[in-house]
Amino acid sequence: MKIIINNENTNNKDLYYEEGFWTGKRTVKYDGAILPKVKRGSYEYKNGEITEIFKIKGNQLAGIKIKMFGSEVEIVRKITWQEIIMSILVFLPGFLFGAIGGAIGGLLGFTNLVIIRQVDKIYLKIIFSILFMAIGLLLSYILAVLVFKIVFTYF
């Protein structure tokens, strides 16, 4: 995830934030300079006589904010309750088909959460959720039928 913010909270300079999805490694750049990590969640910015500590709070699910120059800059917004409910509804039909269906539903529910977080219009979020729910239901059904055919051919 790469995000560049330039507004009055960042003193009209580019704030570049990158976080690896699998590793969680963070890279923070401010005004073109890579900030060295001081300790967990804290990065140091030096520009001549100015020394500032940038503190990162949160994670990808709860939202990410950076506290800098006495103000907070929102990098990633929090997940809304509607998005949580839509992702749970994607998970539930797969859960009815057992462990394999639950795994498929969980994977599609998380994928749904990542995708609908980036969409602004509520009707598109609903359409994406319905599509992922249908895909999960169909995949779970197909895998359940295949497993039953394999298991019950020997009886």
Side-chain angles (χ1 to χ4, degrees):
M1 162 180 62
K2 297 177 185 177
I3 298 171
I4 298 174
I5 297 176
N6 187 342
N7 58 23
E8 60 275 351
N9 289 341
T10 63
N11 294 337
N12 295 320
K13 295 180 181 176
D14 286 341
L15 175 65
Y16 173 85
Y17 178 83
E18 180 180 3
E19 184 173 346
F21 181 76
W22 296 107
T23 61
K25 183 179 182 272
R26 295 175 173 169
T27 303
V28 181
K29 293 181 188 176
Y30 182 71
D31 197 22
I34 296 176
L35 305 182
K37 188 174 186 177
V38 178
K39 58 182 177 179
R40 184 178 165 203
S42 297
Y43 295 83
E44 185 177 37
Y45 171 68
K46 289 183 181 178
N47 185 10
E49 67 278 348
I50 299 172
T51 301
E52 179 73 23
I53 301 293
F54 289 22
K55 294 185 180 178
I56 300 175
K57 296 179 186 177
N59 57 37
Q60 291 181 9
L61 293 177
I64 299 172
K65 293 183 181 182
I66 296 180
K67 186 174 181 182
M68 56 186 275
F69 301 117
S71 65
E72 284 191 349
V73 179
E74 185 176 58
I75 304 295
V76 177
R77 68 172 176 81
K78 293 180 181 178
I79 298 172
T80 62
W81 64 272
Q82 296 101 339
E83 294 169 346
I84 294 171
I85 289 174
M86 286 181 212
S87 294
I88 290 172
L89 289 176
V90 168
F91 167 72
L92 287 179
F95 182 71
L96 297 174
F97 288 95
I100 295 173
I104 291 170
L107 182 67
L108 289 174
F110 180 75
T111 305
N112 181 53
L113 187 63
V114 169
I115 289 176
I116 65 173
R117 181 183 220 176
Q118 299 171 358
V119 177
D120 291 332
K121 296 185 173 38
I122 189 72
Y123 67 89
L124 288 175
K125 291 181 182 190
I126 293 170
I127 289 171
F128 278 123
S129 297
I130 290 171
L131 287 175
F132 277 116
M133 188 170 26
I135 290 169
L137 190 62
L138 185 64
L139 281 175
S140 298
Y141 177 75
I142 290 171
L143 286 176
V145 167
L146 289 175
V147 167
F148 279 129
K149 281 188 176 187
I150 292 171
V151 169
F152 291 119
T153 56
Y154 299 112
F155 289 111

